[in-house]
Amino acid sequence: MTTGTLLQEVKAFIIETLDLEDVAPADIDDDAPLFGEGLGLDSIDSLELGVGLQKRYGLKISTESEETRQIFASARALADFIAAHRTQ
Amino acid sequence: MSEAFLRDFARYCPLANATDRHVVIYRNGHPVFHADFRRDIALARQALAGLETVLLADRPTVALYEPDVYAFTVWLLAAWSLGMMVALMGDDLPATRKALALPWIGREHPANAISNWHAATRTSRVLRVNSVHPGLTLFTSGSTGKPTPVEKTLAQARAESQMLEAAFGALLTPDTRYVSSVPHPHMYGLTFFILWPLLFARPCVAERLCYPEDLERLPAADYLFVTSPTFLKHLTDASPGLAPHTRWRLAISAGSPLAAEIAASSATFLQAPLIEIYGSTETGAAAYRRGTAPWQPLPGVRFSLEAATSRLRIHSPALSVAERESGFLSGDLVRLDEQGGGLELLGRADRLVKIGEKRISLTQIEQELVRLPEIDNARIVPLQHEQEGGRLVLGAAAILTPVGEARKRNLGKARFDRFLRAALRDQIEAVALPRRWRYVTTLPTNDMGKSTHDGLGRLFAPALPHAFCLAQEQDASIGRARLQLRCAPNLVWFDGHFPDLPVLPGVVQIDWAAHFARLHFGLDLQSAPITRMSGLKFQHLIRPNDAPCLDLIWRPGKQELEFAYTLAEIPCSRGTLILRKV
């Protein structure tokens, strides 16, 4: 799978997991931060994305670590992490 | 005779000494004199005396709905003079009548033709009223949408009018006419527009002002205006001409918070002091302020703070004897100054929600929103996510200013939503930033200017199911996705389709297929719209709470999208959407 389609998939994954209304993948910039500025996600979203990653890709991440912050830095960072570590 | 009752009711008040030629009310511009008023009450008493009343809490009780202010007042005093408790109803819709098994008087009563009353003679039965007994049942219109009965004695109603007279009477003359834009069967309208002028022998104007332009047609006189923020907003927007030789001595606003700009512009427009009233159906009027000055207790009212919860406790002569001891614990969060007088309202206790262990004030978010140049008015609604273990998210229903409309057009809805979230980020916790945005031209309100919870909630009924992607594969020539959907029972599409058997419409299933294809394969339906559909089959109904699987196959070469819905392997529907070639 090319990085481009995985990036698209990751954006859809974020939108569905968090049930974001009226947000299309095109609204999520590849490199914009998901939290704070940019998409503006919050700490509860971070937990829900963590649970979603485990369900969907069999990936376990520890909450509130520096690594987690890097994984969720942007849609591209999350796609890179999934590509490198996915088990399903 | 009913004069005896009037004297008792109006004891200590000027009405007791009113002459026959004293004007009680102006109807259609014509005065109704005190003598006519007394006669009409006597006639209404006659009609009521033959009525089989129902005992409610040991008191004979009747339900009253009468849109005509004069007839309403006559019925009310007649019923009171017979020792009846009167339940004031906001409407007489069949459902309301069914819900309250009482004899109804007013509009529906056979004796309601007031012209007949004038023609008849006086009665002479003496009936004194013990004003300690409950005289009045009001139903709070409440923000929860569930009406709760509140009982009042005549003594309480009288005490409240006396407080108002003590606070504002000096601004008025004996001839100042009370005119109103609010409904009279509620506590605010009843006290300020009917009982206060009645007890202090000032006339009122029977016709309710419905539009700002109605101000242009008032006859020359001095007026007191009983109104609401909703009407004042329309008034300053419309800025009609004022009728010549009318003088506004005082304007009073209550029902919902009055914005400072509206208060200032209305006061300038009417050239009158504008007083905002704080109170509730349970306590009656309790505090007042002019402009943005701190709230002051009305004469005789005392405030204290329930330290543990920051809720306001109100001690007032208008409370029942039982409540006067401990005071009434309100649902409002406040700060009090050292003297216990000056009051700062911080929002409703029931408008606090917990999200992620944080206490969030919905009122504060609304206040921050209306501070933005893009937002004219806003209401925040807590929404529980449908999916299992879902978090509480907040929805914002907002009326935009022209600036906001323009920005939304430029950005598109999704980016505009995010722009507003970003604009609130410095003031509001991230978890409390509204997730769902609805832009409306009016907020669903009742006629007291209060937003109704049900009306607001309906704005946020989801149009899309909750979806979770189970599998997705893509290569250059084909894309596949399998989605698990859950159709929440409050989906907007189940509403009325059909009333007794809600099913998911086929056209919605097609729309969802296109929506999720856009989400997962990046279809651009703007430049390549759907031109044709083929092989459509609807085989099995999808019902509320169902969790169908949606399979999508996208063939970019052919510009074809195949979809199929299944419920536990049972085929529900399928078809192919063909997009215009680009």
Side-chain angles (χ1 to χ4, degrees), chain B residues 279-298:
Chain B
S280 62
T281 302
E282 291 86 351
T283 61
Y288 68 101
R289 68 168 176 178
R290 206 169 153 167
T292 52
W295 290 99
Q296 294 302 320
L298 280 164

Side-chain angles (χ1 to χ4, degrees), chain A residues 18-22 39-42 44-45 48, chain B residues 383 385 391-396 413 417 421 430-438 460:
Chain A
L18 303 180
D19 208 359
L20 300 180
E21 200 183 53
D22 291 314
L39 198 54
L41 302 183
D42 60 44
I44 302 175
D45 295 323
E48 291 188 352
Chain B
L383 306 164
H385 256 199
R391 66 184 288 185
L392 188 72
V393 296
L394 299 183
K413 182 177 180 294
D417 292 353
R421 283 166 58 87
V431 292
L433 292 172
R435 277 297 172 87
R436 302 266 186 273
W437 295 84
R438 295 289 181 274
F460 293 93

Side-chain angles (χ1 to χ4, degrees), chain A:
Chain A
M1 188 184 291
T2 65
T3 323
T5 53
L6 181 60
L7 199 53
Q8 167 75 27
E9 182 183 322
V10 161
K11 289 177 184 178
F13 163 76
I14 293 169
I15 292 168
E16 277 170 357
T17 305
L18 303 180
D19 208 359
L20 300 180
E21 200 183 53
D22 291 314
V23 179
D27 295 323
I28 303 178
D29 296 331
D30 297 353
D31 299 302
L34 299 177
F35 292 84
E37 307 283 311
L39 198 54
L41 302 183
D42 60 44
S43 52
I44 302 175
D45 295 323
S46 156
L47 288 173
E48 291 188 352
L49 280 181
V51 174
L53 279 175
Q54 188 167 1
K55 272 200 214 161
R56 171 86 193 265
Y57 300 103
L59 289 173
K60 250 192 170 156
I61 55 162
S62 58
T63 52
E64 296 296 321
S65 67
E66 182 53 37
E67 190 201 1
T68 309
R69 263 189 286 280
Q70 281 168 16
I71 295 167
F72 289 144
S74 65
R76 193 193 298 282
L78 183 55
D80 290 346
F81 173 76
I82 292 169
H85 296 92
R86 67 191 298 170
T87 58
Q88 62 192 62

Side-chain angles (χ1 to χ4, degrees), chain B residues 41-122:
Chain B
I41 292 174
L43 287 162
R45 276 165 51 92
Q46 253 183 342
L48 288 176
L51 198 68
E52 261 188 55
T53 53
V54 169
L55 290 182
L56 211 69
D58 290 339
R59 304 278 296 167
T61 305
V62 290
L64 170 60
Y65 176 73
E66 172 55 72
D68 180 299
V69 167
Y70 177 66
F72 172 89
T73 311
V74 167
W75 280 121
L76 184 67
L77 292 189
W80 277 347
S81 75
L82 288 169
M84 293 175 178
M85 186 150 85
V86 181
L88 293 191
M89 309 309 296
D91 60 68
D92 61 352
L93 297 173
T96 317
R97 298 181 68 111
K98 214 174 128 196
L100 203 67
L102 290 175
W104 280 65
I105 59 171
R107 190 159 70 167
E108 291 293 306
H109 197 275
N112 72 344
I114 293 195
S115 56
N116 293 342
W117 297 358
H118 279 299
T121 51
R122 294 178 173 210

